Each structure stands twice: as C-alpha cells, then as structure tokens.
Amino acid sequence: LKLEMPTVNLDREVTLLATVPAVVQSVKSYAVTWKKLISRVLEEQLKKVPQGNSPLAEIDLWREISATLRALTEQIKLPEVQKVLEILQEAESQFAGDLQIVLSDLRRHHMQAQDNAKFLSTVERHLKNLLTGTGVDVISNTIPSLLNALRLVWIMSRHYSKDERMAPFLERISWEISERARRVVDLQTLFKQDIDAAKKKITEAKNTLEQWKKCYFTTCIQVEESGCKRFWKFDVKRLFEKTDYMVLICQDLYDIFQVTEELHNIFIPELITVSENPKGVDELQREVHIIISPMEDLNFDPFSIESARDWAFIMEEFREDVTVETVKQIFVENFKDPPLYKNHPPVAGAISWCRSLSHRITHPITRFQEEEELLASKRGMQVKQIYLQVAKKMKDYEDQKYCLWRERTEQMIPLLLKDTLLTLRSATEEPVTTKKSVCFTLNFSPEIQEIITETKYMEQLGLPVPEMARYVALQEDKYLRYTNKLKPMLDRYHKLMDMMNEAETKLLDPYIQELWRILKAGHKRLTWKSLGIGEFIVQCTQTIGKLEVLVHHIHNISEDISSKLQSIESTNLFKFPHSRNDDKHPGAKEFFDYVKCEQAKDVEQLVRKYSAIPQLLIEVERRVANTNSGKSPKLASYYAYWENRIYQVLTQLIVKNLQAFNATVLANVPRFQIEAVLSVPEITLQPNASEIEKMTEQSIQDCVEVTKHFVRWMRGTCIECPPQHVKADEVVTFSYYSDISQSPLIIEQAVLITQNVQKLLASLSTYLNQWKRYDLLWKSDKDAVLDRLAAEKPSCVIFDEHLQFYMKVAQEVTQPPLIKDEQFIRLQLAPLACAVQENAKSWVMSLGKLLNELAREELFRLEDEIQVGVFSL
C-alpha cells in the first residue's frame, strides 16, 4: 500500500501555499484519495478473522494487521504528507478535520494491533511447544507456563484484559490441546500398537487434558489473589466441555486396553503348557481379539460429542463381551480350586462361587436382551451363544459337586459317629499305665463339623440334603457343648500331669490309675452317638478336681520341705572372727576355735530344720494313705525321694562351704596372724607349719563331720534310725557322714585346700630366708670370736667398725613394715626383729666390754713403763 504524492510544487512556506487556491485544491484532491485508501484498508483489516482455530492463527493475524497499518502509519509521517496536512489546516479546509479523524483511527488501530501482537508473542513459544513438545514437557512445563504468561497478559495488556478478547483466545488454546490429544490417541494406529505403548499414549493425552483444566482454575485463583480487579469469569462450558468429554473417552480407551491386557495375561505360556485343554485356551484367546475388533473399524469420531450415543453403544457392547469373557476365563482358571467366601465350606463354597459367576453374566445379558439393536447384531448373537455355553458348563459343574458331596456324606456320617470320644497317645514306647507321658486327645473329627457346615449352606442354596446329614446338623449345639467341655477338661488333666514329678507320680499312682480308668471309657466305649457323654464329662471333671486338690496340698508341703533344705544348703559353716579396732587379727588357734564354735551353733539350727521334715512327710501320708505312722508302704518311694534330696543338699552344703573356705585361703584378705620367731639356731613360724596344717585339716574334718548330726531314716520310712549297740561300750548312729565323706567332690576340695595352705606356708618360709643373713649373730661362738679378737689386739678403728656394724643391724631390723600379708595369713615379724636386735646389742655389749678390758690392760702397762722410767732417772 502506497500513498500517491502531490505533483505540485510545495517548496514555499505553508502560509503562502495555503493562500493559493490552485495549490489548496490540488493537495485536497490527494488528501481525499488518502482518506479513501486508509478507510478501505482499516475496514478490510478490521474485518479479518484468524485462519483456523489455532491460537497461533490469532497471533499471526495481529502481526499481519500490525504490519499493514504500520506501512500506512510510516507514510503518514513523511514530510510531504505532513506539509499537505499543514496546508489544509492553514487553509481552514473542512476536509482537514475529517482526514484527521481517519488518521487518528489509523494510529489507534495500529497501536492496538502492535500491542496485541507484542503481548501475544510472549505466549507464542509455549503454544509452539504445545503443538510439537513431548508429553512430559506439556504436562509439567508448557501448560502451567502458558497460563502464567496469559495471566501476565491479562494484567498488563490494554486490549487482552477484556473478556471479549481473552475468552476466545482461551477457547482456541482449549481447541489446540484437544487436537493434540486427538493426534496422540490416533485410533487408526492405536489398536495396532503394543498394549503398553497404547496405554502410555492414552495416559499422556488424558493427563494433558486434565492438566489444562487444573492449571486454568489455579490461574483463576492467582488472578484473584494478585489484586487485579478484573477476574477470570469465562464460560467454563465453552472452555472445557469438549476436553472433559475427551477425558471420558480416554478413560474408556484405557479401560479397554487394561481389560484386554488382563485377559491376555490369563493365558500365559505356562498356563497353556499345563492346561488339559490347550485348544480351549486358544479359542479363548481368539475370543479376546474378537472383543476389541469393533474398536479398530469405527465409522465415526469417538472424540466428537455429537457421536456420544454411538460411542456409548460400542462401550456397552464391549462391557457385555468382557463380562461374559471374563467370567468364562475366571471359571476355567479356578474351577478346580475356586476362591471361597469367608467361613464357607469347600463344596457349598464352590457352588456359591459358581452361582455368583453365573449371576454376573445373567444380569448384564438380561439387560443386553432388552436392547433389540444389540441383540439383533451379529456380535450380539455371538455373545448370547458364548453365554449359553458358559452357563451350561457352570450348571454341570454345580451338579457334579453336589452329587459327589451327597454320596460321600452318606458314606462318611455313620463311620464318623462310631469314633470314640478320645484317642490315646504316649510320648514314649513304655507302658502307658506307668507313665505320665500318656496323652488323651479329643477325637472329634473336623469332617463332622465340615459336614454340618456344608449341610447348612446347602440348604441355604436350596439344595436337598441327606436326612442323616440334617440330623447331625441339628445336633451341632450338643456336639459343640461336649467339645467345649472336653477340651478344657483334657487341658486340666495334662496340666495336672505336667505339674507332678516322678516321685509324686509314683506316690499318687492309685489315684492316677483310677483317673485313667474313667478316661479310658471315652477311649474305648463311648462314641459320639452314645447317651452317657454328659455323665462321663462330669465324672472326669470331678475326679480331676479331687486329684488337683491333693496335688496342690502335696506341692505346698513340698515347697515347705524344699524351703528348709534350701536354708540348710545355703548355711555358711565357716564364719570368721572380725579383726579388732587396732587391726589386730586373732591367732591361728583362736581363729580355728572360733570357726568350730560357730559351726556348733549352726549345726543346732540345721538339725532342728532337718528334724521337722518327717512331720511334714507324715502330713502327706495322712492325706494320701489316711495314716500318720511315718512308715506307710504307700509312701516308701516318696520317703526315698526326699532322703535322696537330703543327701544331695548335704553334699552341696559341704562342697559349697569347702569351696568358700578355699576361696578364703586364696584371697588376699588376712584372717588370722602367726609370728616369726628366733628359735636358735633356726628362724621358725609360731605356730609352726605342721601345726597350722593340722588345724586346717581339723577344720575341714569338722565341716564334713557336721553331717554326722543328720541321722538317716529307717528303710521305707521317715523315722530316724535309733543308735545301734555294736559292742558293749560302742554305740553307732547311722548318719549321712559315711556316704558324704566318701564323695569324690568333697575329697577333691579337701585335698585342694590342704595343698593351697601348704603352698602358702612354704611361701612364708621362703620369705623368712632373707633373715638368715643375720644368722651369724647367734650361730657364731661369741667367746671364741672375742678371744681371737683380744689376741690380735686390734686398733680402736677395728673396734669401731665392728661396733658400727652391729649397731646398724640393731637399727635396721626394727624398721617397718614388720608384717607380711599373704593370702589369708598375716605374718608378724616384730618378735623376730626384736630377737635379732637383742643379739646385735649383745655383740655391742660384748665388744665394748672387751675393748674396756684391753684398754685397761694397756693403761696399766703404760703406767708400769712410766714408773720404770722414773726410777731409772
């Protein structure tokens, strides 16, 4: 488009040119031409509409209008055109005003087109991505970004902030999104693809459509929250009616592929391999392909709302096909081991399952028949034929299950009712009459309960049941009452037998035999159709209760005896004296005398506890044998059991105390003290090692002889043996000592203690050897040494050396420590040190005396020499 320029000379001033009529007339004619051209162009451009339904077409339209109007606007700005306008304005031509209105419209529409093109270009990239991008990008990025950009356009643009502009543009976007979904879900190729690939495409299309609607409403909220006074209140039906419908179609398509996949998965190669009828499996697979065949050759667009009725017809037919086919496949796959409803028995449950499958296909087929169009179609006839085949197979299956159950039930009921109430089982191969390991178990067959349950459900299903089965079912409450009483009764019996040890089992053998006699009636005589079951349960319960009372009494007495024995076993027979406040320990004899004295006190208490046991056993005798003699033959084994327990307890008493005493010997805690003394010419212990060993051995013997106070019982009784006169002056008392003293454990402990004490005393003797360095103090012949020294007449220096040596010895031997603690003995060294010191001092005195004598002799000699010299002068 090009404006025609005036040919007249316009070089002079505008004011002059405006006064020239010819010039004014000439430029006016050109201006008229311009006005017509601009008016025509504006009219043409404003009448234009986007080519197509795409939002990109609307962007292209505004760019085209903007370019066209920009070309005219740029020409209006040319100097020649501006001068013409000035001349007309100066000449006060009326036409100048009309032309300015047109030019103003041109500029306004140009600005509008330019503004629209600029703002819509901000969403162009997102629209192109929507057209060509991948599914993931469309869902996660493009649609949210597109709507966010549109929200900004709505807020900032002057023209697309109005409903009449934005609403149509959003409709175009909705159309573009629906077309994208249509391209992805191309029915011409969709059913020829792999099922997973097809489902993926359908899911992509459906998610895109749903994301478009979701993001739209999210953007509506954002527009309201942004503070903008203009909200998005567009016609939702116009925007989403088509896309919502397409979502429904996509879901239908997905369901078709999902069902097809599930039907195919039933016929995996493994199933075909193990199937007894592989040809039947192949036939079912062909039927699956037939079900979806109508979808591949549609003569209408399923995504078109106008075709909704046709699509509904196709889906109805598909669902009927799938229902019949699915039920048929479920039946073929599970008829050998059908899934059962909760609490249903196997046979009635299988029949109920079969009937439920039959109902699932009967109901839709009934509705299918109501639609004459569906029934009259070729596919409808095929579905009806398949239904009749499946229904017949199910009826044959039900009849077979029922007949087999009825026949077996009539055979089994008489046999099951002949079973005894109880069965007998022993955990060992030994005679069941002598062992408490015998177990009576309830012999109520689960098959009886199963028959009862089957009978009830068969009657609910409307099937006739055998009279014997109905009779047993009517007795269910009675059987339940019996079993509910027999089970806890047998539990009480087994618990009671487990409570008793072997000695108690032998003690109560007559009572147990009586209980077994009663229980064996349920094992040998009574069956589930006997009349005396209730009386049997009562008799068993009463007998078990009496035996329970007796066992509890015996256990109470046993616990009392065990408590006394535990007290005896835990007694400490080696109680040691405590050290005094000055940390002085008792001497060896005092120590062992104290231990013996304390043992004597403890023995009195032990014997008192031991003597109380026979009275407790006599109480057991009174309850079991109804006598109180202490020598009932019925309790002989029970007396022996407790006598053996007493022997074990006394053995443990001695062993534990000897072990404790040995631990005391080895512990580094002094318990008594001994002294190291000088018994010229030897250094010895006081008391000596031999005496300490004897005291230790005597203490061990005293500990073992404690058992002499526990008098044995006469055979077969709990009465103590009286003293036996072996000789006229010798009395023997039978006690546990003779047996316990021979126990290898006790002998071993006694030897171990003795050896440890010997090692300790040897160690102390070795320690005393260091004092032998002073033995010259008492082993040397003092008189001979002094005579020899006097004969030598040593100097004073020699005397001083000897005196210093002995004085040093006298001093160093009294330096602490003067005690030696080793294990449980404290060795006092003070007596030895004093003796050595006295010997050293004796030497000092003797040397001093000798020195004095020698000095006196020398003095007298000098005095004589002086006198002789004087006289010679």
Side-chain angles (χ1 to χ4, degrees):
L1 297 174
K2 188 173 183 182
L3 298 178
E4 185 178 356
M5 295 295 112
T7 56
V8 298
N9 187 2
L10 301 177
D11 292 339
R12 290 181 293 177
E13 294 293 331
V14 172
T15 55
L16 294 176
L17 292 174
T19 59
V20 179
V23 173
V24 172
Q25 187 63 35
S26 176
V27 297
K28 180 178 179 183
S29 65
Y30 282 102
V32 169
T33 303
W34 294 347
K35 177 185 176 186
K36 290 180 179 179
L37 176 63
I38 293 172
S39 297
R40 178 176 58 80
V41 169
L42 281 175
E43 183 178 0
E44 292 175 353
Q45 294 300 316
L46 294 179
K47 286 182 178 180
K48 284 185 177 181
V49 294
Q51 300 300 309
N53 296 323
S54 171
L56 290 173
E58 185 165 340
I59 297 176
D60 293 339
L61 173 64
W62 284 117
R63 283 179 176 164
E64 180 183 345
I65 294 174
S66 176
T68 301
L69 299 184
R70 182 173 63 251
L72 292 175
T73 303
E74 293 298 326
Q75 293 182 65
I76 295 298
K77 295 179 181 179
L78 293 174
E80 296 91 332
V81 176
Q82 290 296 318
K83 198 161 189 178
V84 169
L85 295 177
E86 291 175 0
I87 292 172
L88 292 174
Q89 187 71 26
E90 185 68 24
E92 297 182 354
S93 171
Q94 182 179 358
F95 179 74
D98 297 337
L99 181 60
Q100 287 296 338
I101 293 173
V102 172
L103 293 178
S104 177
D105 287 344
L106 173 63
R107 285 192 291 270
R108 178 169 59 81
H109 286 298
H110 173 239
M111 290 297 295
Q112 179 181 354
Q114 186 179 28
D115 187 64
N116 291 345
K118 180 183 69 173
F119 279 105
L120 292 182
S121 65
T122 61
V123 301
E124 183 178 18
R125 174 172 59 88
H126 304 304
L127 293 172
K128 289 181 178 179
N129 286 339
L130 188 64
L131 185 65
T132 60
T134 63
V136 175
D137 289 340
V138 169
I139 294 172
S140 61
N141 296 320
T142 303
I143 293 179
S145 301
L146 171 62
L147 285 168
N148 186 56
L150 286 175
R151 180 177 63 85
L152 296 177
V153 170
W154 174 263
I155 295 172
M156 300 173 65
S157 172
R158 286 180 295 174
H159 305 288
Y160 272 84
S161 60
K162 299 179 177 62
D163 291 359
E164 58 270 18
R165 288 289 185 195
M166 184 60 77
F169 193 69
L170 287 172
E171 291 174 18
R172 289 178 175 276
I173 294 174
S174 182
W175 177 89
E176 187 68 62
I177 292 174
S178 65
E179 286 301 303
R180 174 187 173 81
R182 190 192 300 273
R183 289 194 301 273
V184 173
V185 186
D186 182 7
L187 296 185
Q188 299 298 322
T189 61
L190 190 67
F191 285 93
K192 298 177 183 180
Q193 299 180 11
D194 176 75
I195 290 179
D196 288 337
K199 286 168 62 178
K200 184 177 180 181
K201 286 189 173 183
I202 295 170
T203 301
E204 174 189 333
K206 180 172 176 286
N207 290 344
T208 301
L209 295 168
E210 291 176 338
Q211 185 76 356
W212 156 240
K213 187 173 184 179
K214 177 182 177 182
C215 291
Y216 168 79
F217 285 109
T218 301
T219 306
C220 289
I221 295 173
Q222 292 174 345
V223 169
E224 293 181 11
E225 293 177 347
S226 66
C228 179
K229 296 181 180 179
R230 301 181 305 279
F231 298 157
W232 278 16
K233 300 293 184 181
F234 308 125
D235 189 343
V236 175
K237 182 178 180 181
R238 290 173 63 93
L239 288 178
F240 300 111
E241 181 181 23
K242 183 175 183 179
T243 56
D244 287 347
Y245 178 74
M246 292 181 71
V247 168
L248 297 177
I249 301 302
C250 287
Q251 185 62 53
D252 287 343
L253 291 171
Y254 187 89
D255 293 341
I256 290 170
F257 279 99
Q258 181 67 28
V259 171
T260 303
E261 183 179 32
E262 292 172 357
L263 292 176
H264 277 299
N265 288 341
I266 293 176
F267 306 109
I268 58 176
E270 290 80 357
L271 177 62
I272 298 174
T273 303
V274 302
S275 174
E276 297 178 357
N277 185 16
K279 291 183 179 180
V281 174
D282 293 338
E283 180 184 350
L284 290 174
Q285 285 184 312
R286 286 193 296 273
E287 291 177 0
V288 172
H289 293 295
I290 294 174
I291 290 175
I292 63 173
S293 60
M295 309 293 176
E296 300 177 358
D297 301 314
L298 296 178
N299 56 5
F300 62 88
D301 180 9
F303 291 112
S304 173
I305 298 179
E306 290 75 14
S307 304
R309 187 174 183 280
D310 295 333
W311 178 252
F313 180 89
I314 291 293
M315 287 304 297
E316 181 70 18
E317 188 177 65
F318 172 77
R319 291 188 181 97
E320 303 299 343
D321 289 355
V322 168
T323 300
V324 175
E325 194 62 37
T326 301
V327 169
K328 181 178 179 181
Q329 292 178 4
I330 292 173
F331 179 74
V332 170
E333 183 182 3
N334 297 291
F335 76 94
K336 289 185 177 180
D337 185 20
L340 304 179
Y341 294 111
K342 186 177 181 181
N343 299 327
H344 274 57
V347 180
I351 294 174
S352 296
W353 168 77
C354 182
R355 287 190 177 183
S356 69
L357 290 181
S358 179
H359 177 73
R360 285 173 61 180
I361 58 175
T362 301
H363 180 67
I365 286 296
T366 302
R367 292 194 302 107
F368 194 69
Q369 290 175 336
E370 294 173 356
E371 296 287 339
E372 294 183 1
E373 296 180 13
L374 292 175
L375 185 61
S377 67
K378 180 181 179 181
R379 184 60 190 152
M381 298 299 293
Q382 291 176 341
V383 172
K384 180 180 178 181
Q385 188 63 31
I386 294 174
Y387 162 72
L388 293 175
Q389 293 175 358
V390 174
K392 184 177 184 305
K393 288 182 180 179
M394 290 182 176
K395 186 65 172 65
D396 293 343
Y397 173 80
E398 177 183 332
D399 292 344
Q400 182 184 17
K401 281 281 185 182
Y402 168 74
C403 291
L404 289 175
W405 172 80
R406 184 184 182 99
E407 180 181 347
R408 187 175 185 280
T409 299
E410 290 175 341
Q411 293 175 354
M412 290 300 299
I413 287 180
L415 299 176
L416 293 173
L417 293 181
K418 289 180 181 179
D419 287 343
T420 57
L421 302 183
L422 308 177
T423 56
L424 186 61
R425 177 175 59 84
S426 176
T428 67
E429 297 180 356
E430 299 181 38
V432 297
T433 55
T434 60
K435 290 293 175 183
K436 69 170 186 176
S437 57
V438 175
C439 292
F440 290 94
T441 57
L442 184 64
N443 192 30
F444 186 75
S445 174
E447 290 187 54
I448 297 178
Q449 184 60 53
E450 184 177 300
I451 288 173
I452 293 173
T453 308
E454 291 279 11
T455 301
K456 290 181 176 180
Y457 279 97
M458 288 294 183
E459 289 186 327
Q460 290 179 10
L461 292 170
L463 297 172
V465 298
E467 286 301 320
M468 183 61 74
R470 181 178 288 107
Y471 167 78
V472 172
L474 292 174
Q475 303 298 314
E476 181 184 17
D477 290 342
K478 182 175 72 174
Y479 293 141
L480 183 62
R481 187 168 64 252
Y482 288 158
T483 55
N484 285 343
K485 290 181 179 180
L486 285 169
K487 285 179 182 177
M489 181 267 287
L490 291 176
D491 290 342
R492 283 180 64 190
Y493 161 75
H494 293 129
K495 182 179 179 182
L496 178 61
M497 295 304 294
D498 290 339
M499 288 171 59
M500 293 185 285
N501 57 34
E502 186 176 353
E504 291 167 344
T505 304
K506 290 180 180 180
L507 172 66
L508 299 174
D509 184 65
Y511 296 88
I512 296 173
Q513 292 294 340
E514 174 62 18
L515 177 57
W516 282 350
R517 183 188 65 78
I518 298 172
L519 287 171
K520 284 179 181 177
H523 165 54
K524 293 184 176 179
R525 181 171 55 84
L526 294 174
T527 66
W528 290 103
K529 57 183 180 179
S530 299
L531 298 177
I533 298 177
E535 295 177 3
F536 167 75
I537 295 173
V538 171
Q539 190 177 8
C540 289
T541 303
Q542 290 176 347
T543 307
I544 292 172
K546 291 178 181 178
L547 184 56
E548 280 179 337
V549 172
L550 184 56
V551 170
H552 286 147
H553 281 304
I554 293 173
H555 279 179
N556 289 337
I557 295 172
S558 297
E559 289 175 4
D560 198 358
I561 296 174
S562 297
S563 175
K564 294 181 184 301
L565 294 180
Q566 177 63 32
S567 177
I568 291 173
E569 183 179 339
S570 61
T571 300
N572 179 13
L573 297 177
F574 286 94
K575 293 186 173 67
F576 307 128
H578 299 288
S579 60
R580 301 168 190 171
N581 294 334
D582 57 358
D583 202 28
K584 186 176 181 181
H585 291 75
K589 187 174 185 307
E590 181 183 356
F591 172 80
F592 286 106
D593 286 346
Y594 180 89
V595 171
K596 185 173 183 178
C597 180
E598 291 298 316
Q599 278 182 0
K601 296 177 184 178
D602 291 330
V603 167
E604 292 180 6
Q605 298 293 329
L606 297 180
V607 171
R608 195 160 28 250
K609 294 174 183 177
Y610 170 74
S611 299
I613 293 176
Q615 290 301 318
L616 294 172
L617 293 177
I618 289 173
E619 176 63 20
V620 174
E621 177 188 347
R622 186 182 66 80
R623 293 184 178 275
V624 175
N626 292 321
T627 60
N628 57 359
S629 62
K631 53 183 179 180
S632 171
K634 295 181 180 179
L635 274 76
S637 63
Y638 198 59
Y639 299 145
Y641 164 76
W642 281 109
E643 194 169 20
N644 183 56
R645 281 283 307 276
I646 293 168
Y647 168 77
Q648 294 173 356
V649 165
L650 292 178
T651 301
Q652 285 299 310
L653 168 68
I654 303 306
V655 170
K656 288 181 179 179
N657 275 279
L658 291 180
Q659 289 174 341
F661 183 50
N662 185 51
T664 301
V665 170
L666 298 176
N668 292 318
V669 179
R671 296 294 182 179
F672 64 89
Q673 65 182 26
I674 60 176
E675 296 179 346
V677 297
L678 178 60
S679 180
V680 178
E682 299 297 332
I683 298 175
T684 62
L685 298 174
Q686 187 178 6
N688 60 38
S690 176
E691 292 173 335
I692 295 174
E693 289 179 19
K694 288 180 180 179
M695 285 187 281
T696 303
E697 291 171 357
Q698 184 59 49
S699 185
I700 295 171
Q701 184 63 27
D702 291 342
C703 176
V704 178
E705 288 182 354
V706 164
T707 58
K708 287 183 177 182
H709 297 82
F710 295 86
V711 181
R712 296 292 293 267
W713 299 337
M714 291 187 289
R715 185 183 301 276
T717 74
C718 62
I719 302 172
E720 293 183 359
C721 294
Q724 303 295 312
H725 295 274
V726 180
K727 297 179 182 179
D729 57 346
E730 184 178 355
V731 178
V732 176
T733 301
F734 291 103
S735 68
Y736 287 91
Y737 172 76
S738 58
D739 293 325
I740 292 177
S741 62
Q742 301 302 316
S743 170
L745 289 174
I746 293 176
I747 294 173
E748 178 185 353
Q749 284 298 317
V751 171
L752 185 60
I753 294 171
T754 303
Q755 290 175 346
N756 287 333
V757 171
Q758 288 173 349
K759 291 177 183 178
L760 172 57
L761 294 173
S763 175
L764 292 175
S765 296
T766 302
Y767 172 76
L768 291 178
N769 287 338
Q770 63 182 321
W771 289 80
K772 289 185 178 181
R773 67 178 184 269
Y774 303 119
D775 61 358
L776 290 177
L777 293 176
W778 56 85
K779 286 187 177 181
S780 299
D781 187 347
K782 187 186 299 183
D783 293 338
V785 172
L786 292 177
D787 290 344
R788 188 168 56 253
L789 187 60
E792 292 176 357
K793 295 185 179 180
S795 63
C796 291
V797 174
I798 299 300
F799 269 103
D800 184 61
E801 290 177 356
H802 283 288
L803 289 171
Q804 289 294 332
F805 169 74
Y806 290 116
M807 289 188 342
K808 182 179 179 182
V809 169
Q811 183 178 4
E812 71 180 10
V813 296
T814 57
Q815 296 296 318
L818 294 178
I819 59 173
K820 168 65 175 175
D821 288 341
E822 187 155 351
Q823 295 182 7
F824 82 131
I825 295 178
R826 168 165 290 181
L827 177 60
Q828 288 287 354
L829 298 170
L832 176 59
C834 290
V836 173
Q837 186 182 47
E838 288 300 323
N839 276 276
K841 288 181 178 180
S842 175
W843 276 96
V844 171
M845 293 297 294
S846 298
L847 284 172
K849 183 178 180 182
L850 176 60
L851 178 59
N852 182 55
E853 291 177 353
L854 292 177
R856 285 174 62 86
E857 290 178 2
E858 183 64 24
L859 179 61
F860 290 146
R861 187 183 66 77
L862 288 175
E863 183 179 357
D864 291 342
E865 286 182 0
I866 292 173
Q867 289 179 355
V868 171
V870 170
F871 291 139
S872 64
L873 290 177

